[in-house]
Amino acid sequence: MSFNKVDLSFQSCKSNYDESDVVLFSAPLDTTTSYRPGTRFAGNAIRVESIGIEWYSPYLDMDLKDHPTVDIGDLDLPMGDVESALDVIYYTAKDILEAKKLPMMVGGEHLVTYPVIKAMFEQNKDLCIIHLDAHTDLRDEFLGRALSHATVLRRCHDLLGDNRIFQFGIRSGDKHEFEWAKTHTQLRKFDLVGLEDAIEQIKDRPVYITIDLDVLDPSIFPGTGTPEPGGITYKELLGAIQAFTKLNNVVGADIVELAPMLDASNVSTVVAAKTLREMILLLHRQK
Amino acid sequence: MSFNKVDLSFQSCKSNYDESDVVLFSAPLDTTTSYRPGTRFAGNAIRVESIGIEWYSPYLDMDLKDHPTVDIGDLDLPMGDVESALDVIYYTAKDILEAKKLPMMVGGEHLVTYPVIKAMFEQNKDLCIIHLDAHTDLRDEFLGRALSHATVLRRCHDLLGDNRIFQFGIRSGDKHEFEWAKTHTQLRKFDLVGLEDAIEQIKDRPVYITIDLDVLDPSIFPGTGTPEPGGITYKELLGAIQAFTKLNNVVGADIVELAPMLDASNVSTVVAAKTLREMILLLHRQK
Amino acid sequence: MSFNKVDLSFQSCKSNYDESDVVLFSAPLDTTTSYRPGTRFAGNAIRVESIGIEWYSPYLDMDLKDHPTVDIGDLDLPMGDVESALDVIYYTAKDILEAKKLPMMVGGEHLVTYPVIKAMFEQNKDLCIIHLDAHTDLRDEFLGRALSHATVLRRCHDLLGDNRIFQFGIRSGDKHEFEWAKTHTQLRKFDLVGLEDAIEQIKDRPVYITIDLDVLDPSIFPGTGTPEPGGITYKELLGAIQAFTKLNNVVGADIVELAPMLDASNVSTVVAAKTLREMILLLHRQK
Amino acid sequence: MSFNKVDLSFQSCKSNYDESDVVLFSAPLDTTTSYRPGTRFAGNAIRVESIGIEWYSPYLDMDLKDHPTVDIGDLDLPMGDVESALDVIYYTAKDILEAKKLPMMVGGEHLVTYPVIKAMFEQNKDLCIIHLDAHTDLRDEFLGRALSHATVLRRCHDLLGDNRIFQFGIRSGDKHEFEWAKTHTQLRKFDLVGLEDAIEQIKDRPVYITIDLDVLDPSIFPGTGTPEPGGITYKELLGAIQAFTKLNNVVGADIVELAPMLDASNVSTVVAAKTLREMILLLHRQK
Amino acid sequence: MSFNKVDLSFQSCKSNYDESDVVLFSAPLDTTTSYRPGTRFAGNAIRVESIGIEWYSPYLDMDLKDHPTVDIGDLDLPMGDVESALDVIYYTAKDILEAKKLPMMVGGEHLVTYPVIKAMFEQNKDLCIIHLDAHTDLRDEFLGRALSHATVLRRCHDLLGDNRIFQFGIRSGDKHEFEWAKTHTQLRKFDLVGLEDAIEQIKDRPVYITIDLDVLDPSIFPGTGTPEPGGITYKELLGAIQAFTKLNNVVGADIVELAPMLDASNVSTVVAAKTLREMILLLHRQK
Amino acid sequence: MSFNKVDLSFQSCKSNYDESDVVLFSAPLDTTTSYRPGTRFAGNAIRVESIGIEWYSPYLDMDLKDHPTVDIGDLDLPMGDVESALDVIYYTAKDILEAKKLPMMVGGEHLVTYPVIKAMFEQNKDLCIIHLDAHTDLRDEFLGRALSHATVLRRCHDLLGDNRIFQFGIRSGDKHEFEWAKTHTQLRKFDLVGLEDAIEQIKDRPVYITIDLDVLDPSIFPGTGTPEPGGITYKELLGAIQAFTKLNNVVGADIVELAPMLDASNVSTVVAAKTLREMILLLHRQK
């Protein structure tokens, strides 16, 4: 008799690459984090914690085990060399897209979204972004860097242009960021009001969804570097995911900014894992 | 001069057994827990924490010190022998019922509810159950066991039959459990909508109330083995207890699944203690 | 070349005393705390944590760096001698008021509010108090002491008299405190309903605002000595601060009862820091 | 059938007062603590934790269940009124001594030792003290108070006079305290060297043993208000207890300064509980 | 281009089963744990934490990457059915032994050692055991069970007979266990004195090494269910492993009783991971 | 009356720059950290914690208040741009040296030592380094970077050349690092044996002391990114500082790698603060 090697893939995501429609990977980058770091550990923390969570979603009435998904693990990023790390993410996303699969990324800090958008945009010039976050992330530079967790949506805007980025839940940033947003993005302060309208507006266009989990109130998600009180409840986030089902062309998604060590109760990791289950299922609805 | 022995009864529950209308006990069983264990420590953690909490409830406008209650402590359960442990709980409940007192149990894992229901049902064939929980607990077996925290309401259904169990707040389970519930229990997904109607329907029948505290959102109750985001707020739970006052024949109650070590801030234990105060007062209203 | 000494003032509050309109200080007293102590560390914990928080408020559309504020740090209180400690606070408040500046205090336990009110009342016989809290704080004495965190609003009433204290969010206390409040204060149980009306009523009178942060639900504020489930959300607190902008004569304010060690995630300290930013900005609107 | 009330006495210390040779009580005072408070919770934390610890000591080859001991619990101290609290402790100790029983106290802050020594000294003018601690505790006053955790051994010296107090493990204090000790106490810096000699010298005199658990290195005892690195190991403390068996007239003992909340792993509480078991057994050897 | 599935094997243990000399597996059983449970999470916690630890041992001057090892992960144990779980472990060990490979097990509670010893003993009637532990584990039954973490070495003795079990570091147990050990095992109280002699005595016999990590002092290993102060230092444990290199026929080994959740700093998991690296290397020296 | 601004300098280090012999600064860099980050918060954590620690050292019999020291706080480093950050540290050190003052630095990650050594070496071509650490830090590059926490002593060797770096306590690294050290540095594995000899050898040369606090066993210092069991005790570190007093020309020093968030008990921060007090006093002995 022989034994198989340990398989700590997320939940039931144990298919091989070729047979999978959705590709899960994690990007353990937290180099530009300006406050409390630790998001690099998010991917594996979610994998291990996912053992205790049901695979069936009563919200979407779908079971993850019915949908072939591969988990290719943490990307191997050169720590301390941001540009090279972003390149690794970019080429990974590009390969996945060329294979006609949908990428589902777990951060890392929010900057990891940029290389995925870059790869997406090369294929979909019509791309829109739905962005849930506590922070604007619209600085033109931050601490001397153009590529930073605090500039990531601004860099995405460099590619996509005006009114293609829809931001919700925003409650922190510099004054000039809020000003800039008035003419360049669709920014909703504090809550998710208007999300249904935005979805109606772009439902037939290619849409990428990036969820900075700190959009949640820190009561339910303390495990993040810059918690910002006054966020949305988890039920509101579930409502948003329900609304996403009206999109007809979701081309990829990410959840970022879980720093698991900062929440000793592990609830933040459970929140991320449940959200990941829902988002993978959402991607599978596109096929 | 002489001194009395230490008395760490819950709050003011320092009456003797014979003079008490309500009997508080804790059942430190967590053997079948499939994920993070630790509920066996709940009873004593609540006792010690209760020192810092007022005895007067502004919600029910009742003061616990006006209502004679005995706290008989942790039952002495044979660890690792589930069947014998359940027997101890069963005979305890039976004795309390025969003495015409009302049992108020603190878990332990949710399986401890089953032997109390068994004792209850022998006396009240008309018994109904109100069940607040994040999880269905309706599996027919779990990891090879018929008696498990994940099967406990199914076992209760074996006794009571269809449509006698009213479930609220449920947001996690296997797909087949949700299917099965459609014809066998009254299951409400996600929230407490319909609770008032259910209470109106069964207000004159004997009702047992079992509260798995993980029905609460983990933002307010992280200290439990399988936290499930998207739960009810504490104000919603207080609203439910207010609604329970319309029941004319509450025959017993329990709160289960506090694992105090999992919440270093101790807030989860405070939540359980305050809920326990309210539930004991609710039972006293029956007299 | 020379170097400046370390400056760990709260956020951008680095002005000198003479040029500042608002004076921030912390009062590290927790001697009469009856349950879990630790509020003495609140001031410096907030200072250090404030480094990670934006200075711009999208709620009030004001930036703290535009408003000269001095942070004079922890007062030097004689530990273990409550009366002398209260005297230090009293004379500090008095000096600030005489300099025509507005005091913004960080507790410490709630008792620190009393000496500030005493100094305030000597200047403003028409003073009113808005009081957000989980607890009544209306005992006439507590554990044998007239001056205690549990009696502080009663002592304020001794000065101000009936119907000058407006209490919100109250959900814990002795029965007799709730009774007493019926004829002596304006007490609202459980939530903030009626706050707008109260503000309308006293908007032209001198108003002091005291926020016991345990008015918040412990889901968002576990780091406090006596957490009381069933509190308000952080969005509700932000709504209250928005409502305070309709007051025309806020003469000072405090936030009390943060015990930073009790919340290892540091979210409670972030909550206090953000609230402090908003309250300082509110005071600057009076000028 | 009837049920007994919950009994959360320490380990097997469930005898009644009259039949017991040793009386265990806890003194939940931490009012004068100058740094991190929380020792008031030590007694009950030890009681609950003691459930997981063997009653048999392989060090002393004695089993606690063979030695009748009563646990009278936390004394009821008026919080915030130090002098009255000390009186309660004094009269408790006095009553125990008059009943010809041996007192075993759990702190609380170190100041609780003083009233016990006062009661002891009235009966035994020849009393000596063995004092294990990280701190000198020899200030004449501290923050304006003569009675403080930092002055407690100085106050004991006021009663006993020179060279009756034997201090070990001391590694923190003001310079003048170390100077003063040179002519008034027997102070050993840093370790326990000389303990055996001291014991030989006073073995036939009445000896009270006070152990500030912060004498231990914070690696094994982080749960204390002012941890001081460079302390003794737990094996060294066990060695000291072994040495105490050569004393022929131990008249009482205490362990103080456990602040259980400060060590989330609970190891500090386990350390205190095991030490308490050994010390109770030591007292029983005197009979 | 294609991608490989995530591989979270321990350190460099990424070989396939057939090419490996040593087989690493974890046994997530903690059902009979009498105090604080949680050891079921040890295996995966060690795997994830091992990413941060060097593969080279300066103690043994060996690098793990030079020695082919397979990690087959957590065994799939039926939770709550102890006997069936033990069977799974037994058959796993048996298969590994029949393939002429060496088993290296990570617990789980200590009871998992028994089925491995049973499989070992069938092949090696001359088997000896070296046992490092804080606890005797020699009860004949515990809480009504013959198979328990507290009886495991007694059950091993049932197979091996007198004087084949060498116990070190023992400092907790019932009096009768210590008595029984005098004639049946080689038990050393408190420390490792005599280990070199024991090794000399049995160096040419088949030896299984079982390390209950609670043999370590809780200062360095707080993350375990029943921490027992007064244990050995980590340097002493490293010295023991150095001494094990003189054994000529180590046939397998385990490390048990890590409960990772109980140590928020993760140091206990690092300790277990480093020990595991050393023990795997030790097994490779046998080939 | 006026008030001074808050001063949170370390302990009594409240002198101005010009009047001070020793200059304390902290360098909040943790960008190249390969495992658990967080050292950027060390400086301010130590400042706040230092309030609870005596200024007098019974080890050196010196009181910090007698020795004028300035604390210039956290340097303002451009986060995410390592080279620029190192330049800021370099020019700070250079300015301090040109003012004939002694620099005392608190890390940050270990890489911050390199720019200080560079500035030192320009003034003292005869410079030697005493290096206490768990890790070799001798890689030629790490994750593609020449400047990294894992290469820092190799970069120092580039400047100083062979046999000028004396390493102690080393117990982790790649095999080739240990090999390389044999001919290029003086490396002592595992402990401090030989430190006295090294000091005798270089006592009249200019010596810089760099203490990576992870040289301590994680039992006493869990709050660091890569804890490595088997380290030295705190008493051994105190012994090393005692030995340093025999050096006649200590030209500067640092302590690095405290990550305060990783130790919720705060003991690691206390350890760092006490070590800092001793090291500042050591520097003052040079004057």
Side-chain angles (χ1 to χ4, degrees), chain D residues 68-134:
Chain D
T69 312
V70 65
D71 178 358
I72 64 170
D74 263 359
L75 301 188
D76 194 11
L77 304 181
M79 197 65 61
D81 180 348
V82 176
E83 277 66 23
S84 303
L86 297 181
D87 278 353
V88 173
I89 300 170
Y90 166 76
Y91 286 110
T92 302
K94 197 171 152 75
D95 282 345
I96 293 169
L97 294 173
E98 286 172 358
K100 307 291 181 203
K101 299 174 190 297
L102 295 176
M104 176 74 230
M105 177 171 60
V106 174
E109 54 159 280
H110 210 158
L111 180 55
V112 298
T113 299
Y114 175 65
V116 178
I117 291 296
K118 199 173 134 197
M120 286 274 168
F121 181 68
E122 291 172 3
Q123 291 212 349
N124 294 288
K125 297 298 180 192
D126 198 33
L127 186 71
C128 293
I129 297 176
I130 293 179
H131 171 222
L132 273 51
D133 202 331

Side-chain angles (χ1 to χ4, degrees), chain D residues 140-157:
Chain D
D140 198 22
E141 64 157 42
F142 188 61
L143 300 170
R145 293 187 60 87
L147 286 172
S148 154
H149 72 106
T151 66
V152 58
L153 270 294
R154 183 67 174 263
R155 288 295 84 73
C156 293
H157 176 273

Side-chain angles (χ1 to χ4, degrees), chain C residues 55 86 134 142 179-180 185 187 225 228 241 253 258:
Chain C
W55 302 347
L86 297 181
F142 188 62
E179 289 300 316
W180 188 88
T185 73
L187 183 153
E228 186 72 35
I241 295 172
L258 166 68

Side-chain angles (χ1 to χ4, degrees), chain E residues 57-77:
Chain E
S57 164
Y59 305 97
L60 298 175
D61 192 20
M62 296 169 71
D63 196 314
L64 192 54
K65 75 171 188 295
D66 301 332
H67 302 277
T69 312
V70 64
D71 178 358
I72 64 171
D74 263 359
L75 301 187
D76 193 10
L77 305 181

Side-chain angles (χ1 to χ4, degrees), chain F residues 222-287:
Chain F
T224 193
T226 44
E228 186 72 35
I232 66 172
T233 66
Y234 196 72
K235 280 193 177 170
E236 289 177 290
L237 180 57
L238 287 169
I241 295 172
Q242 200 69 44
F244 295 156
T245 61
K246 295 185 190 131
L247 292 167
N248 296 317
N249 191 14
V250 181
V251 293
D254 63 52
I255 58 171
V256 299
E257 296 287 359
L258 167 68
M261 302 181 312
L262 298 176
D263 178 5
S265 76
N266 264 14
V267 166
S268 301
T269 303
V270 172
V271 163
K274 182 171 178 174
T275 306
L276 182 55
R277 181 191 74 192
E278 298 293 301
M279 291 303 291
I280 295 173
L281 291 173
L282 180 78
L283 291 181
H284 280 292
R285 294 173 68 100
Q286 309 301 314
K287 288 285 167 173

